[in-house]
Amino acid sequence: MSSVAVVTGASSGIGAATVRRLVKDGFDVVGVARRADRLAALEAETGARVRPLDVTDENDVLRFAAELETCDVLVNVAGGALGAEPVALARADDWRHMYEVNVLGTLHVTQALLPLLRAGAGGTVVTVTSTAAFVNYEGGGGYSAAKHAEHALVETLRLELGGEPVRVVEVAPGMVRTDEFALNRLRGDAARAAAVYEGVDRPLSADDVAECVSLVVGLPLHVNVDRLVVRPLAQAAQHKVHRGPLFPS
Ligand code: 8X3
């Protein structure tokens, strides 16, 4: 019987790429996200099981967990950024939303699935945070605050599960170009979203991050990658982004 992997945020970007990747790796994947139409397309494409779910709805998360018989791997991807205003002008509702999805969503799903992750031969919780979990930048206050908090959740959980056969892994990507991340953050301003990646020779793709998730999950069960920070080669540090050709053509 295949190992079961639950992936949140499965309707697009890193979540959808992770579903595709873990299906290829032989997992029985359950992809969850809010948008049922996108999930149905992913189900038809990959053969993964899907289940519409808003990770901020604790009761529905509990109902979802009760529907599962086993779970070996949980990949927390649901999250995102909303707003890029400086602190002086930031909207509290955006910050609240980012905390709800990135932090409490991860909390709800992790809490609900922990009994199953603990019950099997060895469980793995991978949480996809961000380099914004460790550094700050102008206009990123609310997102960075949420990602710092999500990182704190991961670090605390690893300590609390010490002595149990459950790995707790953080994958922290830097600049990833997806269809929605920058667009959502910039409230649909496509020109500003495109400018984020302008001139960058190969930002990370969702598939690149999914590859990292596959890597850490596929290691032997006694090998715990605490934190995998992954950036495109063009981004030596958060503020040091090379814009221009990087590789010989
Ligand atoms: C995305 C990376 O640099 O936009 O999580 O914060 S960044």
Side-chain angles (χ1 to χ4, degrees):
M1 208 169 68
S2 304
S3 296
V4 172
V6 171
V7 180
T8 74
S11 58
S12 67
I14 294 169
T18 300
V19 169
R20 291 187 184 99
R21 179 64 214 213
L22 294 184
V23 167
K24 280 196 186 120
D25 288 347
F27 283 92
D28 172 7
V29 181
V30 186
V32 303
R34 281 171 307 168
R35 292 174 290 185
D37 53 337
R38 285 175 173 248
L39 287 179
L42 190 66
E43 178 181 33
E45 175 200 330
T46 65
R49 291 189 272 158
V50 297
R51 202 295 198 170
L53 182 68
D54 176 351
V55 295
T56 67
D57 181 343
E58 187 176 6
N59 288 329
D60 202 29
V61 169
L62 290 170
R63 276 192 293 275
F64 163 63
E67 294 161 12
L68 294 174
E69 287 181 7
T70 63
C71 177
D72 305 282
V73 175
L74 164 62
V75 188
N76 289 306
V77 182
L82 193 56
E85 292 80 10
V87 170
L89 300 172
R91 303 180 193 174
D93 278 347
D94 290 343
W95 287 45
R96 213 170 275 120
H97 173 79
M98 287 187 280
Y99 196 89
E100 281 277 341
V101 180
N102 291 281
V103 188
L104 300 183
T106 295
L107 176 68
H108 295 326
V109 179
T110 304
Q111 282 182 332
L113 295 186
L114 256 186
L116 294 176
L117 290 158
R118 283 172 148 152
T124 304
V125 181
V126 180
T127 301
V128 177
T129 62
S130 167
T131 49
F134 319 108
V135 292
N136 302 288
Y137 51 87
E138 306 87 335
Y143 179 64
S144 185
K147 287 299 186 185
H148 274 66
E150 194 179 20
H151 163 70
L153 184 163
V154 172
E155 290 283 304
T156 308
L157 181 68
R158 187 180 309 112
L159 293 170
E160 291 170 352
L161 295 183
E164 298 188 48
V166 180
R167 298 184 294 185
V168 180
V169 179
E170 177 173 6
V171 173
M175 182 183 275
V176 185
R177 182 166 51 199
T178 65
D179 291 342
E180 295 187 326
F181 179 80
L183 202 58
N184 286 343
R185 165 176 267 183
L186 297 165
R187 309 186 199 286
D189 186 332
R192 280 183 73 200
V196 171
Y197 311 104
E198 197 174 341
V200 178
D201 190 351
R202 280 167 262 189
L204 294 179
S205 67
D207 287 343
D208 294 329
V209 181
E211 183 84 25
C212 293
V213 173
S214 167
L215 172 77
V216 298
V217 168
L219 290 167
L221 283 171
H222 69 284
V223 180
N224 194 109
V225 176
D226 288 359
R227 183 195 308 170
L228 192 160
V229 176
V230 54
R231 297 180 186 275
L233 185 60
Q235 187 184 32
Q238 196 75 20
H239 281 84
K240 189 171 170 63
V241 177
H242 177 78
R243 296 183 193 270
L246 190 57
F247 297 96
S249 48

